[in-house]
């Protein structure tokens, strides 16, 4: 049996059930409130899905820690060698805008490293799943397919996926310096990484400190199970050991073939913007 097979099966089940919770709220005239400190919108869907996922994970794996977006307590990641990172609704703005581009993230870190990830898009029933070091898969109404990133190595030929709601001037700087001409818009970090894992896009750059470990734990496992790379903008792997919750050095997700050519450019833009010291 593959490593973490039971954990993967449970995470897939929980993600699909949580997806039903999101869709129930999505079908209503739900209200939107702002998080404290201007951290973005939150809805009843975020809160209900968060409570459900955390409860199910604690029942299934009582010896594991859980860190979830709607309860910003990182202590479990410091106390447990295995810790789940949960984003019950990645892309809340997309949920509010009703464009379907939001996802559930359930990731497992072992000894501070991303090990397993499930990213589920409830609208369209698309589920990405992967264990680092093993083959990842995508499941949708058309069937189940192995994930594999592209082998496009020329930066100018890369297909960039950019945020539909949060595009920045720093992203434009990376685009110009690499000579990129092909772009796709998408909500949710997980769905962007899913597009890379399916080889429908090749690169995602987030030159900002406005993301957190629950945003990227599951996507990192998925993209790595497809042969890709996800690091900070200095090229370092993020740790999920509770030492830090915010992604203060941005995100870079890329196929392996182009990573070494993209990283110096993305790092330089990040330094110029003040994100990297």
């Amino acid at each position: 049996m593959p490593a973490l097979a039971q954990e993967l099966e449970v995470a897939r089940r929980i993600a699909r059930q949580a997806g039903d919770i999101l869709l129930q709220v999505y079908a209503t005239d739900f209200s939107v409130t702002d998080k404290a400190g201007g951290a973005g919108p939150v809805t009843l869907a975020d809160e209900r899905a968060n409570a459900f996922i955390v409860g199910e994970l604690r029942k299934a794996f009582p010896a594991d820690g859980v860190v979830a977006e709607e309860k910003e307590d990182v202590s479990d990641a410091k106390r447990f060698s295995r810790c789940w990172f949960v984003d019950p609704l990645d892309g809340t703005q997309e949920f509010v805008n009703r464009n379907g581009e939001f996802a559930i993230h359930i990731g497992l870190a072992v000894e501070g490293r991303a090990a397993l990830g499930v990213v589920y898009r409830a609208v369209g029933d698309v589920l990405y799943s992967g264990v680092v070091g093993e083959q990842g898969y995508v499941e949708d109404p058309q069937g189940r397919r192995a994930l594999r990133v592209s082998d496009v190595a020329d930066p100018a030929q890369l297909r960039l996926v950019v945020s539909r709601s949060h595009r920045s001037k720093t992203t434009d700087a990376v685009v110009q310096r690499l000579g990129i001409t092909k772009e796709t818009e998408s909500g949710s970090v997980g769905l962007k990484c899913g597009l890379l894992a399916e080889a429908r896009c090749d690169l995602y750059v987030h030159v900002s400190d406005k993301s957190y470990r629950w945003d990227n734990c599951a996507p990192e496992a998925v993209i790595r199970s497809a042969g890709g790379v996800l690091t900070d903008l200095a090229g370092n792997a993020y740790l999920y050991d509770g030492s830090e919750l915010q992604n203060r050095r941005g995100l870079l997700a890329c196929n392996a073939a182009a990573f070494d050519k993209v990283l110096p450019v993305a790092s330089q833009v990040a330094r110029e913007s003040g994100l990297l010291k």
Side-chain angles (χ1 to χ4, degrees), residues 4 21 27 46 82 88 91 122 136 145 154-155 158-159 167 189 204 227 245 250 276:
L4 302 177
I21 293 172
D46 299 72
R82 294 190 1 150
R145 302 178 300 283
D154 179 1
L158 295 176
R159 296 161 296 175
R167 190 188 176 100
V189 174
Y204 168 53
L245 188 59
L276 295 182

Side-chain angles (χ1 to χ4, degrees), residues 164-246:
R164 190 176 295 283
S165 303
H166 309 289
R167 190 188 176 100
S168 67
K169 291 180 180 178
T170 48
T171 299
D172 291 336
V174 174
V175 167
Q176 291 165 5
R177 294 182 195 186
L178 291 175
I180 290 173
T181 60
K182 305 181 189 77
E183 292 188 17
T184 298
E185 289 186 337
S186 176
S188 169
V189 174
L191 296 184
K192 293 184 185 78
C193 289
L195 291 175
L196 266 70
E198 285 193 86
R200 292 166 60 188
C201 291
D202 313 299
L203 173 65
Y204 168 53
V205 184
H206 184 62
V207 190
S208 168
D209 61 1
K210 299 294 191 293
S211 68
Y212 296 83
R213 294 300 196 275
W214 51 69
D215 290 309
N216 52 290
C217 183
E220 178 182 343
V222 168
I223 198 168
R224 289 177 61 192
S225 77
V229 184
L230 189 150
T231 68
D232 68 17
L233 290 170
N236 300 315
Y238 271 120
L239 292 174
Y240 302 87
D241 59 0
S243 57
E244 184 182 62
L245 188 59
Q246 189 172 356

Side-chain angles (χ1 to χ4, degrees), residues 11-12 14-23 45 49-50 52-53 85-91 102-107 117-122 126-128 188 190-191 214 218-219:
R12 291 168 71 255
I14 293 173
R16 290 188 184 279
Q17 290 176 306
D20 290 339
I21 293 172
L22 296 187
L23 292 179
N50 196 86
F52 174 77
I53 295 168
F85 283 78
V86 174
D87 190 338
L89 177 46
D90 185 58
F102 53 88
I104 292 162
H105 295 181
I106 303 177
V118 170
V119 173
Y120 181 55
R121 176 175 173 160
V126 181
L127 188 144
Y128 300 97
S188 169
L191 296 184
W214 51 69

Side-chain angles (χ1 to χ4, degrees), residues 11-33:
R12 291 168 71 255
R13 171 186 62 80
I14 293 173
R16 290 188 184 279
Q17 290 176 306
D20 290 339
I21 293 172
L22 296 187
L23 292 179
Q24 288 168 13
V25 178
Y26 196 57
T28 69
D29 185 19
F30 58 85
S31 61
V32 182
T33 56

Side-chain angles (χ1 to χ4, degrees), residues 66-138:
V66 182
V67 172
E69 178 173 12
E70 301 311 321
K71 186 176 181 295
E72 296 188 26
D73 179 357
V74 77
S75 60
D76 272 16
K78 297 178 179 178
R79 295 187 296 118
F80 295 89
S81 62
R82 294 190 1 150
C83 186
W84 296 86
F85 283 78
V86 174
D87 190 338
L89 177 46
D90 185 58
T92 300
Q93 191 60 56
E94 318 307 330
F95 186 89
V96 171
N97 293 346
R98 298 185 183 274
N99 63 25
E101 293 178 355
F102 53 88
I104 292 162
H105 295 181
I106 303 177
L108 174 64
V110 178
E111 302 294 346
R113 301 287 185 175
L116 172 156
V118 170
V119 173
Y120 181 55
R121 176 175 173 160
V123 174
D125 186 23
V126 181
L127 188 144
Y128 300 97
S129 63
V131 173
V132 174
E134 298 182 14
Q135 177 63 60
Y137 294 91
V138 58

